[in-house]
Amino acid sequence: MDWLLKYDPVLLALFATLFTWGITTLGASLVFFFKTISKKILKPMLGFAAGVMIAASFWSLLKPAIEAAEATNVSPWIPAVVGFLLGGAFLFLIDKLLPHLHLGLSTDKAEGVKTNWQRSILLVLAVTIHNIPEGLAVGVAFGALANSPETGQLAGDVALAIGIGLQNFPEGAAISVPLRQEGLSRLKAFNYGQLSGIVEPIAGVAGAYLVATIKPILPYALSFAAGAMIFVVVEELIPSSQRDNETDSATIGAMLGFAVMMLLDVALG
């Protein structure tokens, strides 16, 4: 893996987020084989995604942020807390401004600025908002290589990209298949599903570039990404997975997701 260190961190971030977007596309392709998705499958998948994001927020983002701050004269808790809260505030602002609709809800429950946009567009935008912090997390992590180009750091970043990719597969299916149920053609549902992940390379490259060029913001950027991801988990994934009183499978999925991401990060990082 050492040979990867010779590449620019921003370029590596682009490759990593193209990979996570590709897994979203792969998940969205399930719409060509299935017209519906059982709640018994969807609930644990959403729980798994939540578990992965919670684990990644600590092991891949907050912990490295604290370690990066400890290498400076700044108290480690300052960038961790400030960045974390700013990340949550950033997603909160987007959530209030951008029209979107979470899966399983009626159109009158749409959030953000009022609009007459089609229900399918609102559903896609909800997942798109979700994907912003995921791309940012991967990008910031790879951007940190500009400060510490070490094999261990790179391995941890690869683990993060793999973990985000794993939970993107069910997310791709969770948007494309319901869109098919909404009456869209298979091709259009697939296109919408995979396009929801296009923000990941955009956010990833932006995050990597900022961290690589403005080194002092690294611990803040890592914590920012963590806060944004936790906001998505608490505001969207957990409520969606626990809806309709079907909680056991979702909880088990979350536990497994956390364990898988922790395993990837600790074993590879």
Side-chain angles (χ1 to χ4, degrees), residues 53-170:
M53 292 180 70
I54 293 171
S57 295
F58 175 73
W59 294 104
S60 299
L61 298 170
L62 282 175
K63 185 172 179 288
I66 293 171
E67 292 171 349
E70 287 174 343
T72 67
N73 294 324
V74 180
S75 297
W77 65 268
I78 294 177
V81 173
V82 171
F84 183 84
L85 293 178
L86 286 176
F90 173 71
L91 258 292
F92 177 81
L93 183 61
I94 292 180
D95 193 66
K96 293 302 180 183
L97 294 178
L98 188 64
H100 63 283
L101 177 66
H102 296 303
L103 291 171
L105 298 181
S106 57
T107 307
D108 63 314
K109 297 292 181 63
E111 300 179 20
V113 176
K114 297 300 180 183
T115 179
N116 293 323
W117 291 352
Q118 293 181 349
R119 175 181 170 86
S120 58
I121 299 297
L122 295 174
L123 288 169
V124 171
L125 286 176
V127 180
T128 302
I129 293 173
H130 179 168
N131 286 331
I132 293 174
E134 294 176 9
L136 185 63
V138 175
V140 168
F142 275 92
L145 289 171
N147 299 329
S148 55
E150 302 172 356
T151 304
Q153 171 69 35
L154 176 61
D157 296 343
V158 171
L160 174 61
I162 293 173
I164 295 297
L166 284 176
Q167 62 96 41
N168 273 359
F169 182 83

Side-chain angles (χ1 to χ4, degrees), residues 135-211:
L136 185 63
V138 175
V140 168
F142 275 92
L145 289 171
N147 299 329
S148 55
E150 302 172 356
T151 304
Q153 171 69 35
L154 176 61
D157 296 343
V158 171
L160 174 61
I162 293 173
I164 295 297
L166 284 176
Q167 62 96 41
N168 273 359
F169 182 83
E171 285 180 7
I175 185 63
S176 65
V177 176
L179 286 177
R180 173 61 175 158
Q181 292 176 264
E182 294 286 333
L184 274 68
S185 68
R186 281 187 167 88
L187 182 59
K188 184 171 287 188
F190 166 75
N191 285 331
Y192 279 150
Q194 62 89 18
L195 280 175
S196 68
I198 197 173
V199 293
E200 292 196 10
I202 297 171
V205 168
Y209 178 78
L210 286 174
V211 169

